[in-house]
Amino acid sequence: MTTPASTAQTQHPPGLSAGMTFLMAAACGLIAANLYYTQPLAGPIAVDIGLPAEATGLIVTLTQIGYGLGLLLLVPLGDLLENRRLIVTMIGLVTVALIAAGLSTTPGPFLTASLAIGVGSVAVQMIVPFAANLAPDAARGRVVGNIMSGLMVGIMTARPISGLIAGLSSWHAVFYISAIVMVGLGTLLWVQLPTRMPAARLSYGQLLKSMAKLLATQPVLQRRAAYQAFQFAAFSLFWTVTPLYLAGPRFGLGHNGIALFALAGVAGAIASPIAGRLADKGLVWPATAFGLLCVGVAFAMTQIASEGSTIALTLLTIAAILLDFGVTMTLVTGQRSIYELGAELRSRLNGLFMAIFFTGGAIGSALGAWAFASGGWWFASMIGFALPATAVAIFLTEKHGREKSLQH
């Protein structure tokens, strides 16, 4: 039975201080990074644990599968269970999984740990709606934007950081160091986060069943998830292919050069707070349009100069920043839009939104690897351009007035 205190806490949450916002943003970045540490290390890890070369992709794929399962099956629990305890429990799970991965010397334990790392890392997508519930209505977009900037920085810096640590020590050290960070982070969040007990009183089965209804009946969720699936597909294609492209004969960059290129893309994370502020001012529609166009332009501009030239490398770097900016812009405006559909639904809405978003990214990675092998950068970039172009075509059918009324 819902108590008056818990209902009041859910409906009238306290505001978020700047320090708390920073803590939640940093937590999102540090936890999300666990999903990407293995990407540049998959080859060496496979050799060390005796995993066949043809199965190397499982190292990354199983982490992604675990994350996808967690989005659908665990993130919605934020609408049912006390939020702080749930978040810290998931951080505990990812900590154990990181230690297990570091200790592994054979394929079975390591791949099991990889799956668990993905599952535990969905703590990120529990923190974001938690923050949205704590934020006042007028500043919700700004708060979500600031927290998502932490998430994007974590995603973009994870690969070069893991490569640097592995180069100085070993790939085992990457997991051990991250586990230590997770212990400290979990302790800090347990002490600093407020408790929040949702008002909803559903069984777990009812909770999952309600998600299907939400997806079928909420056009804002359908559209925003579709836009972001195309955007993240383009993002994943770009970051799957560009390391291969830069390491190839056209540019001949080494590991350090590619790491610096990846770090340049972090500048695109500045879009998060900008998008949040625009959304708070009722400018979701133009901000979304701008974000979609940025990604299309990013791919188009890489075709201007001759491959391998200094100008081509410069344009590719600018494209990386512009692409990350556009994807982040639509991500924040999308989350701001779906969170307006109901405070009691935010964890379920976020789980659905991110699961669809994530599926688009997985498809984009697969498309990128195939396209680059089949037709080089030109073919891959044309597919990359077609993805946001398709999103723009869908976006132009949106009834702006209708979506605005649903949001506000």
Side-chain angles (χ1 to χ4, degrees):
M1 185 173 181
T2 304
T3 65
S6 65
T7 302
Q9 188 175 24
T10 300
Q11 293 177 347
H12 303 286
L16 275 177
S17 66
M20 182 63 72
T21 302
F22 177 81
L23 173 60
M24 297 175 92
C28 284
L30 290 168
I31 297 167
N34 291 316
L35 298 167
Y36 298 92
Y37 285 141
T38 58
Q39 289 190 355
L41 305 177
I45 290 173
V47 172
D48 282 358
I49 65 175
L51 187 67
E54 60 271 18
T56 299
L58 286 174
I59 292 173
V60 175
T61 301
L62 282 173
T63 303
Q64 294 174 334
I65 290 172
Y67 191 67
L69 290 172
L71 287 172
L72 289 174
L73 301 178
L74 297 179
V75 168
L77 289 172
D79 289 335
L80 192 62
L81 303 178
E82 198 280 306
N83 286 190
R84 181 184 65 164
R85 185 178 297 275
L86 181 61
I87 290 166
V88 174
T89 298
M90 299 311 297
I91 293 174
L93 171 61
V94 80
T95 301
V96 172
L98 287 164
I99 295 171
L103 292 172
S104 297
T105 57
T106 56
F110 185 88
L111 294 177
T112 301
S114 296
L115 182 70
I117 287 171
V119 173
S121 295
V122 298
V124 168
Q125 300 306 332
M126 296 171 178
I127 293 173
V128 179
F130 185 21
N133 282 315
L134 295 176
D137 292 344
R140 184 163 293 118
R142 176 175 58 81
V143 168
V144 171
N146 288 339
I147 289 174
M148 291 307 294
S149 66
L151 173 66
M152 295 305 295
V153 169
I155 290 173
M156 296 306 301
T157 58
R159 300 177 185 90
I161 286 174
S162 66
L164 176 64
I165 294 173
L168 293 173
S169 180
S170 71
W171 63 263
H172 299 274
V174 175
F175 295 101
Y176 295 144
I177 292 172
S178 185
I180 293 170
V181 171
M182 289 300 104
V183 170
L185 178 63
T187 303
L188 189 59
L189 291 178
W190 180 256
V191 172
Q192 295 295 326
L193 288 182
T195 58
R196 177 184 177 271
M197 187 66 205
R201 291 295 178 265
L202 303 171
S203 69
Y204 182 61
Q206 289 172 325
L207 189 77
L208 295 182
K209 185 178 179 180
S210 70
M211 293 174 66
K213 183 177 179 181
L214 285 172
L215 186 59
T217 60
Q218 297 295 338
V220 173
L221 173 62
Q222 294 165 359
R223 282 186 170 275
R224 292 288 155 180
Y227 303 156
Q228 206 57 34
F230 282 108
Q231 289 282 85
F232 198 53
F235 175 93
S236 297
L237 182 148
F238 184 90
W239 289 108
T240 296
V241 173
T242 49
L244 302 173
Y245 183 40
L246 293 172
R250 296 290 187 180
F251 292 98
L253 292 188
H255 178 75
N256 290 337
I258 294 172
L260 289 173
F261 174 81
L263 284 174
V266 176
I270 196 176
S272 291
I274 295 172
R277 284 165 173 77
L278 291 174
D280 285 340
K281 293 178 179 179
L283 299 175
V284 169
W285 198 89
T288 302
F290 184 71
L292 293 172
L293 291 173
C294 281
V295 177
V297 170
F299 279 99
M301 67 188 298
T302 66
Q303 297 300 325
I304 295 174
S306 300
E307 289 187 330
S309 66
T310 301
I311 295 176
L313 181 58
T314 301
L315 289 173
L316 195 65
T317 303
I318 296 171
I321 297 170
L322 189 61
L323 178 136
D324 290 359
F325 186 96
V327 171
T328 304
M329 178 73 71
T330 54
L331 174 58
V332 173
T333 55
Q335 286 184 303
R336 175 66 164 78
S337 297
I338 65 170
Y339 289 160
E340 291 303 292
L341 297 177
E344 73 283 1
L345 304 171
R346 284 180 183 142
S347 290
R348 280 167 283 177
L349 290 166
N350 197 55
L352 287 166
F353 177 78
M354 296 304 299
I356 296 169
F357 163 93
F358 181 78
T359 300
I363 293 171
S365 293
L367 275 176
W370 168 77
F372 187 71
S374 301
W377 174 250
W378 182 88
F379 187 34
S381 64
M382 288 300 99
I383 293 176
F385 176 82
L387 291 166
T390 303
V392 169
I394 299 171
F395 178 72
L396 292 176
T397 69
E398 180 179 301
K399 294 180 180 178
H400 176 38
R402 180 183 178 188
E403 175 156 335
K404 188 175 181 180
S405 68
L406 284 169
Q407 291 171 4
H408 303 288

